[in-house]
């Protein structure tokens, strides 16, 4: 149920790139303008998500999960029918706020449900990845057939996801689990390692958000662009599950280093290899970039065992979304030279992630409990 809810929220993150070709065709937006729309989806999420993490470290807020789902859906639904660029930007930013509010509390509950298992946590992350992957499959046919005026229908998945998730929220937030809230949190926070992990995720975010924003246009838009987005997002589903299983065998840090090493030639292939073969490199890039995704979350929580909400807000929020801040730069480079040159600039970021990941080691995992995040945070 939590994975289904995660799919619902991340569907709206994937819906924004799927909207881009229609905004270009229907409203004449240029590269910089659509980069700003992508920025709107990530800016509030980047800034606000850690704040929600701090709040969930102090108070139980399970009600925030369904509310944030509806907010994320309402923003995207409104973005397609607004009559100005500013209103579209604000509507998409509202969706980003909903996404920001969702992740810290849901990740806390997912940690309880997974009982610290990397594989189980990867299934929670897989839900979000499948939500991403389904966005172009649902959004593109809807808007291609009915136009941007049909975007209010995109609110329906949010309502359905909120309803489906409610039983899991009740089960994980009450009864015996809630009675254990007074138990102390064990472990000490390793801030230096957490900061390095955060930078790794930021580098990963820049390349992934850049690809998700422009790969559809780079592959020609229309049906070809929708296929490219689906391959990009669906490849992430494979990578998410694969990463959890490899981590169980090789460890999280080693799996993360291998994934980023493989991401360098994969991203280069997207830019440099022409024709249909480029789709294979899109898939390879997505698999490599998503293999460490759920591992980032559990590593961050184990680096900051007394601040699980904060760790979740950063690893699932700030560091992931901050890549959107670089998308206008990618758009500006594309307009000044070409989209191929702009995407070629992304190749350096998985290399930087690999170099920094080499400095990280697996911490001893801290058992997950339902009271995590309920104690007052220890001094930094």
């Amino acid at each position: 149920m939590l994975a289904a809810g995660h799919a619902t929220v991340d569907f709206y993150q994937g819906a924004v790139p799927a909207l881009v070709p229609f905004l270009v065709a229907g409203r004449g937006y240029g590269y910089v303008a659509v980069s700003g729309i992508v920025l709107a989806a990530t800016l509030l999420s980047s800034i606000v998500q850690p704040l929600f993490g701090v709040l969930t470290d102090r108070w139980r807020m399970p009600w925030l999960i369904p509310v944030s789902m509806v907010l994320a859906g309402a923003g995207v639904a409104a973005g397609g029918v607004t009559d100005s660029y500013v209103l579209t930007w604000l509507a998409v930013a509202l969706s980003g706020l909903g996404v920001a509010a969702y992740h810290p509390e849901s990740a806390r509950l997912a940690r309880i449900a997974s009982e610290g298992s990397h594989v189980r946590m990867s299934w929670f992350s897989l839900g979000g990845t499948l939500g991403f992957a389904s966005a172009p499959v649902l959004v593109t046919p809807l808007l291609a057939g009915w136009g941007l005026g049909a975007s209010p229908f995109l609110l329906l998945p949010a309502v359905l996801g909120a309803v489906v998730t409610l039983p899991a929220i009740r089960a994980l937030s009450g009864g015996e689990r809630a009675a254990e809230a007074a138990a102390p949190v064990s472990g000490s926070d390793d801030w230096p390692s957490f900061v390095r992990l955060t930078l790794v995720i930021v580098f990963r975010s820049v390349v992934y958000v850049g690809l998700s924003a422009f790969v559809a246009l780079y592959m020609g838009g229309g049906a070809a662009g929708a296929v490219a987005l689906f391959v990009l997002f669906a490849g992430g589903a494979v990578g998410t599950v694969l990463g959890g299983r490899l981590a169980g065998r090789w460890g999280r840090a080693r799996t993360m280093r291998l994934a980023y090493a493989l991401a360098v030639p994969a991203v280069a292939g997207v830019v440099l290899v022409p024709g249909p073969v480029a789709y294979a490199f899109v898939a390879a890039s997505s698999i490599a970039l998503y293999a460490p995704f759920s591992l980032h979350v559990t590593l961050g929580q184990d680096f900051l065992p007394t601040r699980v909400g904060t760790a979740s807000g950063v690893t699932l929020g700030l560091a992931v979304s901050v890549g959107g801040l670089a998308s206008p730069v990618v758009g500006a480079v594309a307009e000044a030279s070409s989209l191929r040159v702009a995407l070629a600039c992304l190749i350096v970021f998985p290399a930087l992630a690999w170099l920094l990941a080499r400095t990280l080691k697996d911490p001893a995992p801290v058992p997950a409990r339902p009271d995590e995040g309920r104690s007052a945070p220890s001094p930094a």
Side-chain angles (χ1 to χ4, degrees):
M1 291 178 183
L2 289 174
H6 198 188
T8 299
V9 168
D10 282 5
F11 168 83
Y12 293 105
Q13 294 196 77
V16 174
L19 282 172
V20 165
F22 295 95
L23 294 174
V24 171
R27 300 181 182 176
Y29 292 164
Y31 288 134
V32 173
V34 295
S35 297
I37 297 296
V38 175
L39 175 64
T42 57
L43 180 60
L44 273 181
S45 183
S46 299
I47 296 172
V48 176
Q49 198 152 181
L51 299 180
F52 280 109
V54 172
L55 292 176
T56 59
D57 278 334
R58 294 180 178 272
W59 300 289
R60 293 178 181 272
M61 294 192 294
W63 55 266
L64 194 59
I65 294 176
V67 170
S68 62
M69 288 180 178
V70 175
L71 194 64
V76 169
V81 295
T82 53
D83 57 1
S84 73
Y85 181 83
V86 173
L87 290 177
T88 300
W89 195 97
L90 290 174
V92 175
L94 181 67
S95 179
L97 180 63
V99 172
Y102 170 84
H103 281 104
E105 182 69 7
S106 67
R108 182 186 68 83
L109 294 184
R111 182 175 172 89
I112 296 170
S114 68
E115 298 179 340
S117 167
H118 308 321
V119 174
R120 294 176 189 173
M121 198 68 176
S122 74
W123 286 103
F124 171 71
S125 297
L126 175 62
T129 306
L130 291 177
F132 259 101
S134 66
V137 176
L138 298 177
V139 173
T140 300
L142 175 68
L143 301 187
W146 299 92
L148 288 169
S151 61
F153 288 106
L154 296 175
L155 178 60
L156 297 178
V159 176
L160 179 62
V163 172
V164 168
T165 308
L166 284 176
I169 296 173
R170 294 193 186 98
L172 294 170
S173 301
E176 296 180 1
R177 307 209 180 207
E180 298 176 10
V185 176
S186 60
S188 59
D189 296 332
D190 182 358
W191 282 102
S193 293
F194 183 77
V195 170
R196 293 197 298 273
L197 175 66
T198 300
L199 290 175
V200 168
I201 304 172
V202 168
F203 293 144
R204 181 258 183 202
S205 175
V206 171
V207 61
Y208 189 80
V209 173
L211 286 176
S212 66
F214 293 106
V215 73
L217 293 173
Y218 184 69
M219 299 300 289
V227 171
L229 275 179
F230 176 76
V231 170
L232 181 72
F233 296 156
V238 176
T240 301
V241 176
L242 182 63
R245 295 194 175 278
L246 291 179
R249 178 178 299 180
W250 295 342
R252 289 172 289 181
R254 183 180 178 188
T255 299
M256 184 168 55
R257 290 193 294 268
L258 175 62
Y260 286 123
L262 294 176
V264 176
V267 175
V270 173
V271 180
L272 302 177
V273 176
V277 179
Y279 288 106
F281 284 99
V282 171
S285 298
S286 183
I287 292 171
L289 291 170
Y290 256 98
F293 186 70
S294 66
L295 311 183
H296 295 155
V297 180
T298 58
L299 276 171
Q301 292 173 337
D302 286 345
F303 285 142
L304 301 183
T306 71
R307 301 172 186 259
V308 171
T310 300
S312 301
V314 173
T315 56
L316 276 172
L318 173 64
V320 173
S321 302
V322 78
L325 302 178
S327 61
V329 178
V330 178
V333 173
E335 290 195 344
S337 54
S338 70
L339 190 53
R340 185 178 189 182
V341 171
L343 292 180
C345 295
L346 299 177
I347 300 173
V348 68
F349 290 99
L352 292 173
W354 172 75
L355 288 171
L356 199 54
R358 289 172 59 86
T359 69
L360 295 173
K361 296 181 180 180
D362 281 281
V366 178
R369 298 181 348 273
D371 63 297
E372 282 183 332
R374 302 281 70 83
S375 300
S378 61

